[in-house]
């Protein structure tokens, strides 16, 4: 991940300019006119002359000399929104420089007549705080390393907002400095919007973090680029697990992200939604469109790595290529495809994941906890695999539900047309499968696989038995053979006796999830009474708060209310406070008498739990509690999440 080199700064007194702390030896060149050209009629220092002075280390136009060290160009123009309207292109940047437009964001515009706004050909260049529009290409990076583009507004431009050519390395667009989810594009965030062909086209290598691509600054309305982002080759990280690293890539005319011939890691992004993740702002094409990938990762099992890919006009993830790179693999883990950030339906217009001809071996989820994707409510199939000879598509451990056609669809002999298992008994769940295949067992209300329970290996005769609890109301299963081919879901079988162990379907079913502060929720589609797999931990200093959020989702078919209870209250070392909005509901929750308002099927309600570390808390001590959620409509349907807070 990129260095946060703007975190340490020095402020130049009286200039209103914040300068990277790494800036030391170079000179400061002040742009004092908005006029065009190296020798403007007003006799002041223009931007064109300032770049030339920095390039040469000598005086240029009416600007003083630059230096042999990286210089800084700042703007002393006055006015709230200064505009430099160019009639001739600026000199290419051929020596390292930092250009800072400031809080007012100096606008550089070409009035739709010039090829390039800023041409960067120097390693170690930083561009921040500018508006660049009215060109064919707004910012062009060519043949360099260590270029940083931050806090700029790029667009509209007729072709590309930002173009990074092949051969560039360590290019950083944006940063991973934390911003609060739901806030406007600020800090180091670039706003890349209204560009004709593509918002960002990237070759070479680097990081693209914390940007808004195809929206307004608030992240609520579309300002479409053609394609949001095209990674055409090289090695790139798009997003990341830090809260501020995620990109918002929504509202574009074509695909949100297009990948070709790249080794890419795509993590933590919101693709097709508003910035809060809860409203549609879909890209017109696919969310992620992959062509000829090298080994790449979409999502991941770690904290903050899942992408939210929802509300797009095409498929959530679309893989179709005319060339398979030898040795390439593609991993798609932990993503939420077809839902909002709060778990409501927001399906993509095609399949959740589409895999066409010549795709590399692909892993979609695994049997390891937190690697499965949630693929729900898409108009087409959950996962669709197409093509004669298309094999080694492993689809395991996911939550796949409520898609328009099939949960998993294999077409044209894909995955060697491996047959699904047959379920022959339900107490315990037994059946037949291909010899020595792995059988994944699921619960669902219909014929897909909402809740993944676990896996078992069939014997040499194909017989298998799953002895652990299955919730139902229906049980389904898939086969995966030694070639990593996964089948479609089996025909659903009604669970005799309605299952057990906390539910997972039917008219009434609470689903508790918990996060710490603004992190990802844990516990979706996990139903138990002991908090296993859905407990969060946090630590704080004396006098500080560890904040948790408990999300109650109604996974039943009918509106319901839920009774909340806390396993115990405060102690001498820790004070626990529970809030619904600004209302303190602690006493009732501890007493087990708090009842939520009615929540419709699929609806959610969030409760805040604050754990205050009191003065008497011993170092390395902790407090552990369980929040139990019980359906009022059917008191047998229960879920529970846990939290642990300690002093550091």
């Amino acid at each position: 991940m990129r260095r946060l080199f703007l975190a340490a700064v020095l402020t130049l007194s009286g200039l209103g300019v914040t300068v990277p702390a790494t800036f030391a030896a170079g000179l400061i060149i002040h742009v004092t006119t908005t006029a065009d050209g190296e020798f403007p009629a007003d006799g002041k220092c223009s931007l064109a002359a300032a770049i030339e002075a920095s390039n040469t280390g000598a005086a240029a136009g009416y600007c003083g000399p630059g230096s042999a060290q990286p210089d800084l160009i700042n703007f002393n123009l006055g006015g709230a929104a200064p505009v430099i309207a160019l009639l001739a292109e600026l000199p290419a940047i051929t020596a390292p420089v930092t250009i800072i437009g400031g809080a007012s964001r100096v606008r550089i515009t070409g009035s739709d007549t010039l090829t390039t706004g800023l041409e960067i050909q120097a390693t170690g260049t930083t561009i921040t705080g500018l508006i660049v529009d009215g060109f064919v290409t707004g910012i062009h990076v060519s043949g360099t390393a260590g270029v940083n583009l931050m806090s700029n507004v790029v667009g509209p431009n007729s072709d590309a907002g930002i173009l990074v050519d092949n051969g560039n390395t360590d290019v950083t667009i944006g940063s991973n400095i934390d911003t609060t989810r739901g806030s406007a594009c600020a800090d180091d965030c670039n706003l890349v919007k209204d560009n004709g062909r593509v918002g960002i086209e990237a070759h070479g290598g680097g990081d693209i973090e914390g940007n808004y691509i195809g929206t307004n600054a608030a992240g609520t309305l579309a300002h479409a680029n053609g394609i949001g982002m095209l990674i055409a080759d090289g090695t790139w990280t798009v997003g990341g697990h830090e809260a501020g690293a995620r990109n918002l890539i929504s509202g574009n005319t074509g695909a949100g992200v297009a990948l070709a011939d790249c080794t890419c890691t795509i993590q933590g992004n919101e693709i097709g939604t508003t910035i809060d993740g809860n409203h549609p702002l879909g890209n017109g094409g696919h969310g992620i469109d992959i062509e000829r990938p090298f080994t790449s990762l979409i999502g991941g099992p770690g904290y903050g790595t899942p992408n939210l890919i929802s509300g797009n006009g095409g498929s959530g993830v679309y893989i179709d290529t005319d060339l398979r790179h030898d040795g390439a693999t593609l991993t798609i883990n932990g993503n939420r495809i077809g839902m909002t950030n709060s778990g409501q339906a927001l399906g993509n217009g095609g399949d959740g994941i589409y895999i066409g001809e010549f795709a590399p071996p692909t892993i979609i989820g695994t049997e390891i906890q937190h690697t499965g994707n949630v693929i729900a409510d898409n108009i087409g199939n959950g996962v669709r695999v197409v093509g004669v000879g298309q094999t080694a598509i492993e689809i395991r451990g996911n939550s796949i539900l409520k898609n328009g056609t099939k949960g998993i669809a294999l077409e044209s002999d894909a995955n060697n047309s491996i047959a699904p298992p047959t379920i022959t008994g339900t107490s315990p769940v037994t059946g037949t499968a291909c010899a020595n295949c792995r059988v994944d067992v699921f619960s669902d209300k219909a014929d897909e696989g909402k809740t993944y329970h676990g896996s078992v290996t069939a014997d040499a005769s194909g017989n298998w038995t799953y002895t652990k609890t299955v919730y139902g109301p229906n049980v389904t299963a898939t086969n995966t053979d030694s070639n990593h081919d996964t089948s479609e879901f089996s025909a659903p079988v009604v669970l005799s006796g309605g299952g057990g162990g906390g539910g997972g379907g039917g008219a009434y079913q609470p689903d508790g999830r918990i996060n710490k502060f603004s992190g990802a929720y844990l516990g979706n589609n996990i139903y138990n009474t002991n908090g296993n797999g859905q407990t969060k931990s946090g630590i704080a200093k004396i006098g500080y708060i560890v904040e948790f959020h408990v999300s109650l989702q109604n996974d039943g078919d009918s509106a319901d209310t839920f009774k909340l209870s806390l396993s115990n209250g405060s102690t001498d070392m820790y004070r626990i406070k529970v809030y619904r909005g600004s209302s303190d509901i602690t006493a009732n929750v501890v007493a087990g008498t708090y009842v939520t308002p009615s929540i419709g099927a699929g609806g959610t309600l969030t409760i805040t739990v604050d754990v205050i570390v009191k003065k008497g808390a011993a170092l390395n001590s902790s407090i552990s509690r369980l929040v139990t959620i019980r359906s009022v409509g059917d008191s047998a349907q229960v879920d529970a999440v846990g939290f642990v807070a300690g002093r550091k």
Side-chain angles (χ1 to χ4, degrees):
M1 303 301 290
R2 61 155 295 192
R3 58 197 178 278
L4 298 181
F5 81 106
L6 283 186
V9 298
L10 70 94
T11 299
L12 299 184
S13 176
L15 296 178
V17 177
T18 301
V19 184
T22 52
F23 174 78
L27 297 176
I28 300 172
I29 304 171
H30 304 282
V31 175
T32 55
T33 181
T34 60
D36 189 28
E38 189 173 341
F39 293 92
D42 59 11
K44 296 181 179 180
C45 179
S46 67
L47 177 57
I51 293 173
E52 191 64 26
S54 176
N55 287 340
T56 63
Y62 300 108
C63 301
S67 70
Q69 301 297 323
D71 296 315
L72 182 145
I73 296 174
N74 84 301
F75 297 85
N76 187 9
L77 299 175
V83 177
I84 299 176
L86 300 178
L87 299 176
E89 292 195 1
L90 295 167
I93 296 169
T94 58
V97 67
T98 294
I99 300 179
I100 298 180
S104 61
R105 281 206 173 107
V106 174
R107 179 185 174 200
I108 301 171
T109 182
S111 303
D112 300 316
T113 60
L114 303 177
T115 301
T116 305
L118 289 172
E119 175 76 24
I120 303 171
Q121 300 175 1
T123 294
T125 292
T126 295
I127 307 294
T128 180
L130 298 179
I131 300 171
V132 184
D133 63 30
F135 301 93
V136 176
T137 297
I139 300 175
H140 182 207
V141 182
S142 177
T144 65
V147 170
N148 298 277
L149 307 176
M150 293 168 288
S151 193
N152 302 292
V153 177
V154 186
N157 297 284
S158 63
D159 184 65
I162 298 172
L163 172 60
V164 180
D165 276 347
N166 206 350
N168 298 283
T169 58
D170 194 27
V171 175
T172 300
I173 302 173
S175 85
N176 59 9
I177 292 176
D178 285 352
T179 55
T180 302
R181 179 178 294 277
S183 66
C185 182
D187 299 319
D188 285 353
C189 171
N190 295 290
L191 179 62
V192 184
K193 63 185 182 69
D194 300 312
N195 297 286
R197 180 179 60 87
V198 63
I200 298 174
E201 180 178 338
H203 306 248
D207 299 318
I208 303 174
E209 305 173 321
N211 305 287
Y212 287 23
I213 303 167
T215 74
N216 62 351
T220 57
L221 297 173
H223 278 261
N225 303 289
I227 296 171
M229 184 187 304
L230 169 61
I231 311 297
D233 56 54
T235 301
W236 289 87
T237 296
V238 178
H241 70 273
E242 298 94 342
R246 57 92 176 91
N247 299 284
L248 175 65
I249 310 169
S250 297
N252 298 287
T253 304
V257 180
L259 308 179
D261 297 320
C262 75
T263 299
C264 285
T265 300
I266 314 294
Q267 293 184 328
N269 304 288
E270 292 171 327
I271 303 173
T273 70
T274 53
I275 185 58
D276 63 4
N278 288 326
H279 300 90
L281 194 61
N283 299 287
H286 307 299
I288 300 178
D289 190 345
I290 303 175
E291 182 177 353
R292 301 190 307 272
F294 288 95
T295 296
S296 293
L297 172 63
I298 311 297
Y303 172 80
T305 59
N307 300 284
L308 180 65
I309 310 170
S310 302
N312 299 287
S315 294
V317 179
Y318 185 89
I319 307 162
D320 197 12
T321 176
D322 58 3
L323 174 66
R324 179 183 296 162
H325 291 296
D326 291 340
T329 59
L330 184 61
T331 301
I332 305 172
N333 280 353
N335 304 287
R336 293 168 292 167
I337 303 174
M339 60 190 300
T340 67
N341 188 52
S342 60
Q344 303 301 301
L346 186 57
N348 296 286
D351 303 304
I353 300 175
Y354 173 95
I355 301 177
E357 298 279 1
F358 300 109
T362 300
I363 298 169
I364 303 173
T366 74
E367 60 184 304
I368 300 171
Q369 190 176 22
H370 308 315
T371 62
N373 305 277
V374 181
I375 307 171
D377 295 292
N378 298 285
I379 300 301
N381 303 277
V383 180
R384 181 184 178 196
V385 188
V386 179
V388 176
Q390 184 58 69
T391 61
I393 308 300
E394 186 171 309
I395 309 163
R396 304 197 56 203
N398 304 285
S399 175
I400 302 177
L401 67 152
K402 297 191 293 184
N403 295 285
T405 48
K406 291 183 176 182
I408 299 172
L410 304 181
E411 301 177 8
S412 303
D413 199 35
N415 271 2
N416 292 307
S417 295
I418 179 174
T422 299
I423 298 171
T424 58
T426 60
S427 187
V429 180
T430 59
T432 58
C434 44
N436 303 311
C437 285
R438 290 293 284 172
V439 178
D440 291 348
V441 179
F442 301 84
S443 283
D444 197 88
K445 296 177 185 177
D447 58 356
E448 300 182 43
K450 175 182 178 180
T451 303
Y452 168 65
H453 292 294
S455 302
V456 65
T457 302
D459 64 21
S461 299
N463 298 307
W464 57 273
T465 299
Y466 185 78
T467 59
K468 297 181 181 179
T469 299
V470 179
Y471 305 140
N474 296 334
V475 58
T476 61
T478 60
N479 275 330
T480 301
D481 64 18
S482 59
N483 294 321
H484 305 284
D485 294 328
T486 296
S487 72
E488 296 183 355
F489 287 107
S490 68
V493 173
V494 177
L495 205 62
S496 58
Y508 302 102
Q509 177 57 57
D511 186 7
R513 297 172 295 174
I514 187 167
N515 74 356
K516 181 169 70 72
F517 192 50
S518 61
Y521 277 99
L522 183 66
N524 190 45
N525 298 326
I526 300 174
Y527 311 97
N528 58 44
T529 58
N530 54 20
N532 286 347
Q534 42 191 0
T535 294
K536 278 285 190 180
S537 300
I539 56 175
K541 298 177 182 179
I542 286 176
Y544 286 80
I545 295 173
V546 184
E547 182 175 297
F548 301 95
H549 301 113
V550 177
S551 173
L552 323 177
Q553 179 163 303
N554 182 359
D555 278 3
D557 296 327
S558 304
D560 198 3
T561 56
F562 300 97
K563 183 176 288 188
L564 298 185
S565 61
L566 193 63
S567 56
N568 213 330
S570 302
T571 69
D572 291 341
M573 292 191 289
Y574 298 92
R575 178 180 296 113
I576 299 174
K577 303 292 286 184
V578 186
Y579 299 91
R580 178 179 171 237
S582 59
S583 300
D584 186 340
I585 59 173
T586 308
N588 288 338
V589 174
V590 172
T593 59
Y594 180 78
V595 177
T596 70
S598 179
I599 303 174
T604 60
L605 182 146
T606 301
I607 303 298
T608 300
V609 180
D610 287 342
V611 183
I612 301 97
V613 183
K614 297 169 68 174
K615 185 175 181 180
L619 185 64
N620 298 322
S621 63
S622 65
I623 187 172
S624 177
R625 294 290 184 264
L626 200 66
V627 180
T628 300
I629 308 159
R630 187 177 301 274
S631 165
V632 173
D634 180 358
S635 61
Q637 303 304 319
V638 184
D639 197 15
V641 297
F643 60 88
V644 179
R647 180 204 156 183
K648 65 178 178 180

